[in-house]
Each structure stands twice: as C-alpha cells, then as structure tokens.
Amino acid sequence: MTSAPSTPRIALVTGSTNGLGHAVARRLMADGTTVILHGPTPASVDAARERLGLAGLDLTRLETEVADFTRLSDVAALADRVAARHPVLDVLVNNAAVAPTDTRTLTEDDHELAHQVNYLAPYLLTRLLWDPLGAARPGRVVNASSALHRTANLNWGDLDRVRGYARIGAYAQSKLALTMFTRAAAVAAGGRILAVSVHPGILSTGMLSLYARVGQPVADGADVVARLCRPETTVRNGAYYDGESEAPVAPLAADDKAIARLWKATAKVVGLDRQPASV
C-alpha cells in the first residue's frame, strides 16, 4: 500500500523579492517547501513571483505577502495573517534588511531606520509567530546577521542613535541586536524552536557597499541560508554561523545579562511585555 504524501514544509522568507531573500526562496521552493514570499510593496511581490514562475518553479508552492517593515503595525498584521493560515510554521527566515542612509532617518514609528527594519521588525514578527513555530516542534528561525555585528556596541540609553549616528555603526548595531535576540529566542523556546543567526558571506547585493567593492554571487549565500533551514541540517541552538561553520560572537552576544536586558527593553518598545508561554 502506498503511503500518503507528507505535508509540505512551510517557510516564511522576509525580504524575498530580491537579493539574498529571493535566492533563498528559490532554493527552498526547489526543495519542495511551500514558501511565503514577502516584500514591502505589491509591485515588488508581483515581480518576484513572476521571476520564480519564469524560472520553472511550481507556483502552487508559493504564497505572497506585503508588509512594510518601516511600520510595526504592518509587521503585526503580517504575523496575524500567516498564523491564521498556518497554525504550524516550519521555518522563518528573517532576512529583510536595509542599508542605513548617510543621514539619520526615522520610521513612522519614530525609530532609526536600520534599528527598526533590521531588528525591531524581526523581533516582533518572531514573537508573534511563536506558537506556529513552536507547533512544528521544532520550527526553525534563521536570522540573517553579519560579521559586522562584532564591531558594534549598544548604547542602552540611545538604541535609536540620536547621538553619534554613523551609517555603518547603525547597521552593525542592528545586526548585533539580532544576533543577541537569536540566543534569547533559543533559550526562551526551551527546545520548541531552533534559532540560529548567520553571516551568509559578502555578497553582491544592495548591502555590498557596507563591506567591500566586490562580493560573492548571491547564490552562494542562498546555499548557506537554505542549508540551515533544512531539518536534516544539525545546528546548535542559539549559535552564530559564518558561512557553514559556527563562529565566535561579539562579547555582548555571549553575555546573558545583556541579552536578557535587550529582550526586555525591546519587548517594551514593541508592546510585548509578556514573555512567551513556554518560558
């Protein structure tokens, strides 16, 4: 007797209309995963969907979502829609990010642009999808970090960088905070969720100017991220990877007191003062 086909895995990949996120979405779809493709505008999402179709991928394994991460209300609404359709979510790839501008820019929520899009938004999205991710037992959260997180520090009284703003410093801080959150999420989930952060390499994307003039092909970074999404890939919960290898983190990202302090401060900012039910 033939066994019934298994339910396809579901992965939400943020910032997947171009660059690394789009390449990751393509890899996961090729693996048979149903991908929720996310972008900031309907036009960007439609164009990305068309490119995947032209590449010969099965669009019945594709869902699309629009949410502008410069608005935290959009992030919350995205989480609500995804959770309503998918009480079990296998993978969340927090890839959406911006390169900060030369001058300090504020979002509609009055936060520095990179701090919100690169850190507050993925924090909020992950927390709001906690139950669907935990239902996968374990779901995976893969956070696109950066080796630049090791150059950053946190000014606890000025996380929105009102004083001493610098473009690369703002980006590095956002990736340090995301790396710290990765470890916090791994601990808080108590094994129900596996969370890792990764530097996928210096790639030829819109972020290249923050690193160098020449980058690796985006496909190389997508291979790294997609590998961490696969259930057969063994990972250490809460760890940071540089490419395929586990790597050291910045001192603050290994400081339990600092990690707990950032979790609590961020929860207050985004209106999630309560800890997840599993803690």
Side-chain angles (χ1 to χ4, degrees):
M1 186 172 75
T2 338
S3 59
S6 58
T7 305
R9 287 167 56 77
I10 309 291
L12 168 58
V13 184
T14 69
S16 46
T17 55
N18 54 39
L20 176 64
H22 190 69
V24 170
R26 182 171 175 164
R27 289 285 187 282
L28 295 178
M29 288 179 70
D31 286 348
T33 300
T34 293
V35 169
I36 306 168
L37 181 142
H38 157 262
T41 65
S44 66
V45 167
D46 290 344
R49 185 181 190 280
E50 183 177 356
R51 291 198 303 276
L52 291 171
L54 290 172
L57 293 165
D58 179 5
L59 295 185
T60 65
R61 291 192 182 278
L62 183 69
E63 300 177 11
T64 57
E65 282 288 353
V66 176
D68 183 347
F69 281 10
T70 66
R71 294 191 290 264
L72 292 177
S73 59
D74 268 25
V75 178
L78 169 64
D80 285 346
R81 293 192 300 269
V82 171
R85 290 199 312 273
H86 300 290
V88 178
L89 182 65
D90 297 281
V91 180
L92 169 60
V93 180
N94 283 312
N95 165 76
V98 294
T101 52
D102 288 332
T103 56
R104 182 173 176 268
T105 302
L106 294 180
T107 66
E108 291 185 17
D109 299 296
D110 209 28
H111 297 296
E112 188 276 318
L113 180 65
H115 181 53
Q116 175 161 328
V117 175
N118 302 0
Y119 171 60
L120 295 179
Y123 174 98
L124 178 61
L125 184 63
T126 306
R127 290 285 308 273
L128 293 176
L129 290 174
W130 201 260
D131 289 340
L133 287 162
R137 292 192 178 274
R140 291 202 178 203
V141 176
V142 180
N143 291 327
S145 183
S146 166
L148 286 174
H149 89 273
R150 297 195 194 97
T151 68
N153 209 327
L154 298 181
N155 180 342
W156 293 104
D158 187 22
L159 293 178
D160 279 307
R161 302 183 74 88
V162 175
R163 300 174 296 280
Y165 175 84
R167 178 174 180 252
I168 292 181
Y171 180 79
Q173 176 192 290
S174 71
K175 294 303 184 178
L176 171 59
L178 187 64
T179 305
M180 293 169 72
F181 170 58
T182 303
R183 180 165 173 187
V187 172
R192 295 174 63 226
I193 296 170
L194 294 177
V196 295
S197 55
V198 58
H199 172 63
I202 297 174
L203 308 174
S204 296
T205 69
M207 302 296 172
L208 182 59
S209 63
L210 294 164
Y211 297 93
R213 292 187 177 182
V214 179
Q216 303 166 263
V218 175
D220 292 355
D223 287 340
V224 168
V225 176
R227 178 179 172 274
L228 291 172
C229 294
R230 295 181 183 122
E232 62 270 22
T233 301
T234 301
V235 297
R236 188 171 71 81
N237 204 7
Y240 165 77
Y241 290 83
D242 191 331
E244 296 190 355
S245 303
E246 188 176 343
V249 291
L252 273 180
D255 183 330
D256 290 339
K257 289 183 179 178
I259 289 168
R261 182 178 181 181
L262 181 63
W263 175 291
K264 290 177 182 176
T266 309
K268 185 175 182 181
V269 166
V270 301
L272 289 177
D273 289 339
R274 290 178 58 243
Q275 293 278 70
S278 57
V279 175

